[in-house]
Amino acid sequence: TCEVLQAVNEDEKIYYITSPPMTGRKPRDFVILVSQRQPCKQSEPYIVAAKSVTLTSMPPSPEYCRSKILCAGFQIYTDSNSSCTVCYFNQVTSGVMPYLAANLTGSSKSIEDTALECVKFLE
């Protein structure tokens, strides 16, 4: 799930995200600040950056394992009117490794699903 908790300004929002549990674990939740920047020049990328933040109005819940995103984001370069190149960056922590490993071994489609949702958002 994903819901906007606070619109900081037109380019930055704070989201509350929940994700399903890995086998035998609690589901995870995140409170993240997402910033987006339009390119200043045609050759520069569109940037979406995310990092975890703390909000007193959204304390950790006992039903979730509160997880953190240290630093993550996308750089989206326009290749033509109908295509683009997307670069994904993520500072990986031990809490994120099980999800990343599941994607790399093919036992999960969460990165693919996330990428498809990003494409829908950008359209």
Side-chain angles (χ1 to χ4, degrees):
T1 65
C2 181
E3 68 177 282
V4 176
L5 293 177
Q6 182 180 343
V8 178
N9 59 43
E10 136 181 340
D11 294 328
E12 298 178 336
K13 292 182 176 74
I14 298 175
Y15 292 88
Y16 178 66
I17 299 171
T18 61
S19 65
M22 296 296 287
T23 306
R25 300 188 182 191
K26 285 185 184 181
R28 294 181 180 265
D29 69 345
F30 303 83
V31 177
I32 61 169
L33 171 66
V34 177
S35 301
Q36 50 190 354
R37 299 291 185 264
Q38 296 284 339
C40 294
K41 299 176 186 173
Q42 183 69 22
S43 60
E44 293 179 348
Y46 182 89
I47 297 172
V48 179
K51 74 174 276 173
S52 288
V53 293
T54 302
L55 280 183
T56 56
S57 61
M58 187 55 71
S61 164
E63 64 188 90
Y64 290 98
C65 176
R66 177 64 49 94
S67 298
K68 294 185 180 192
I69 296 172
L70 297 179
C71 182
F74 297 90
Q75 289 182 333
I76 305 160
Y77 294 87
T78 301
D79 294 333
S80 69
N81 286 339
S82 61
S83 71
C84 66
T85 299
V86 178
C87 300
Y88 174 65
F89 301 90
N90 189 351
Q91 184 175 355
V92 179
T93 62
S94 60
V96 174
M97 281 305 292
Y99 293 95
L100 184 60
N103 278 281
L104 293 175
T105 61
S107 60
S108 171
K109 286 181 41 164
S110 64
I111 287 179
E112 180 182 348
D113 292 342
T114 301
L116 289 173
E117 289 302 314
C118 288
V119 168
K120 287 180 192 174
F121 170 76
L122 293 171
E123 289 175 341

